[in-house]
Amino acid sequence: MRRRVFLESAAWSGAALAGAGALGWTRPGRAAALGLLERAGVTALARLARYEGAHPTATVDLPLAAGGTARGPLGETTWSCTLRASPLKPSAPKPARPPGVELVATFRLERGAITEAAVGLGLAFSRWSRADYVLMPGAVYAGNRFESRHIPYPPRLAEAADIGPHVPTIVSDIPRLNIHAGPSRVQILAADLATPAFAAQGAATKLGVLVLVEPSTRLGLASLTLEESDDRTRARLVLGAPGVREDVAYAAGSTRLPSKDRGAAFRAGDTIVLRLRAHVFECPEPAALFEALAVARKDLTGPTARPLERPFSDAWRAHEARVNRRFVEESGIFSSRPRATEWQSGWCGGLATTLPLLTFGEPTARARALKTLDFLFRDAQAPSGFFRSRWDGARWLDVGPAP
């Protein structure tokens, strides 16, 4: 049976620092480093989790205070977690990073041994709301809190009630917060995000919280888990190592795949360090989250390496030659696949090649791009004004699977 232990007064609420002295934490002067987070109703916590495969059998959350050490049991083992909190130095203007704090948690297995476990550094939000805007770059926008349908790729809606200009947004089966009552959680490997980060804009507080994490540790890939209370007034964000997507994982259009993630083995004396950076700032609109992310997104991962292995001009010539090999003289189109005669109007279709060829291509490529546009605007538009789905070389197909 799964056992979950929550220290409610500290993990869900903002009272973690109030109980620090009673739990034996020292050096209270360092607690001031967490004042920035407290402003947004956020406190720190440590998570201990035990697994059987990808299924959690026990979870323990412990409150953390800056400069102190929390201890707790997980099954037959005893763990400690020491938190160091340091204010981030102000950055130079143009553009300036919002105020922030770096949290470094050192976990140590003090007693016993365990074969499948994970640890996590978390943030508990006590002023949460269903209306808060949640961002996880490249994966979650507005919490993905929309109606969804479990449909295969390409995700075409088929029910009449789901189609029309006044139908609310419907998404496929992607990681998302629950739009309905009941449990609500998003669990993603941090390395699967465009930037390993989380951000939220408080609809009521008008404060933004931006959290940057390291996408991996010595245990492998890390995970980011956002879980909401049933009444949606509280939430927890947890950076986990190793990253275990509990019970189920995800693929294109499905969050129902059995998870192959596993916990790690620990022996007495083993340690693991987790680090994150959290920024808190005035955020009247969700757009400010994106502005803060654009400024700070590389702070933990560092600049992207750009190996100069091939001149851009040479890469362009190779690309132009590849596209030209896909031109179909009979139809006057760029096919989306080699040695094929078909056309797609979608994201991988031949239309995507026309603008760069019109702008930079050689005369032959420019002429072929113009023929493709002529084909498109002459034949591809349906009476509704939308473009038809696919041309197989002989006829138009408006429905059906992608080739």
Side-chain angles (χ1 to χ4, degrees), residues 33-99:
L34 294 181
L36 185 69
L37 294 178
E38 287 187 282
R39 180 186 174 209
V42 178
T43 55
L45 63 91
R47 173 162 292 184
L48 311 173
R50 183 177 63 193
Y51 295 94
E52 290 182 3
H55 181 70
T57 58
T59 303
V60 178
D61 284 353
L62 304 170
L64 289 174
T69 298
R71 289 180 172 82
L74 181 66
E76 301 301 318
T77 63
T78 301
W79 293 76
S80 67
C81 180
T82 301
L83 180 67
R84 176 169 55 85
S86 305
L88 296 174
K89 295 180 180 179
S91 65
K94 298 183 181 180
R97 284 162 179 74

Side-chain angles (χ1 to χ4, degrees), residues 26-27 40 74 138 143 153 158 161 175 211 213 222 246 279 290 303 342 348 367:
T26 59
R27 305 175 71 177
L74 181 66
Y153 185 87
V211 180
V213 304
E246 297 177 357
H279 300 268
F290 295 88
E342 54 87 24
C348 61

